Amino acid sequence: MRVRVEQTALPGIGMRHDLVTESGRRLGVVSHRNGRRDLVLYDPDDPDSCQADIPLTDDEAEALADILGASLMLSQLSGLREQAAGLLTEQIAIPAGTKYVNRQLGDTQARTRTGASIVAVLRQGEVNVSPDPTFRFAAGDVVVVVGTRQGLDGVSAILAEADPDG
């Protein structure tokens, strides 16, 4: 189902984007001309009345967008999992002691060794979709892997390989 977003010009203020959720709640974002953004939750009994107005800094707005984007991507991957028998998705954290911290994704040879694919990397609220082989891992990254149970277990084992120098 596509969600309808209403865009309304607010003369002297900026632009308002509203949507109605499946549960009937109306919410919106007011983008002020000065760059400020407000997340707005409307009163369910009076759609013209604001129940909550939450000002967002640029960093907060970006973090919220990242969170929503990551969860949407993961739910879409989960939907794919249901469509493909035997195909699973899993999130695997990159431990601090692994030999792959500060190394490139291609160094893992994960797809060649396991048949599973690393389709995204989550880092500090940001989603790196379809990272290329030169993408460098950092401790605390979470990789999203698609494959069979055996392949996912194999990628998990590869990423857990200890750093001989650490």
Side-chain angles (χ1 to χ4, degrees):
M1 173 182 138
R2 295 297 279 165
V3 176
R4 184 169 159 234
V5 177
E6 296 176 12
Q7 182 174 320
T8 306
L10 302 173
I13 297 172
M15 189 67 66
R16 186 180 77 207
H17 294 87
D18 296 331
L19 64 91
V20 177
T21 67
E22 189 174 307
S23 66
R25 293 303 306 263
R26 185 176 172 96
L27 60 100
V29 175
V30 176
S31 300
H32 297 261
R33 291 188 340 198
N34 65 6
R36 187 177 113 197
R37 281 179 225 75
D38 294 318
L39 183 61
V40 181
L41 181 62
Y42 296 97
D43 187 322
D45 299 323
D46 180 1
D48 293 326
S49 177
C50 178
Q51 188 176 40
D53 180 337
I54 305 165
L56 299 173
T57 66
D58 288 346
D59 289 340
E60 292 163 342
E62 186 176 334
L64 181 59
D66 288 342
I67 290 167
L68 294 173
S71 67
L72 177 62
M73 182 193 71
L74 292 175
S75 75
Q76 288 171 342
L77 287 173
S78 292
L80 283 175
R81 177 179 62 207
E82 294 168 6
Q83 294 174 12
L87 188 63
L88 305 170
T89 62
E90 191 166 276
Q91 296 181 43
I92 303 169
I94 303 286
T98 182
K99 70 181 190 178
Y100 294 106
V101 169
N102 296 321
R103 295 206 25 214
Q104 295 182 351
L105 182 151
D107 293 342
T108 68
Q109 297 184 334
R111 187 172 42 233
T112 301
R113 293 167 63 186
T114 69
S117 296
I118 295 173
V119 297
V121 179
L122 312 175
R123 177 182 292 162
Q124 298 176 344
E126 291 188 27
V127 180
N128 296 289
V129 179
S130 299
D132 65 40
T134 63
F135 179 89
R136 288 196 178 274
F137 291 119
D141 283 354
V142 175
V143 298
V144 179
V145 184
V146 176
T148 63
R149 174 80 271 154
Q150 182 179 0
L152 299 178
D153 291 344
V155 172
S156 185
I158 289 169
L159 296 176
E161 292 174 8
D163 183 354
D165 299 327

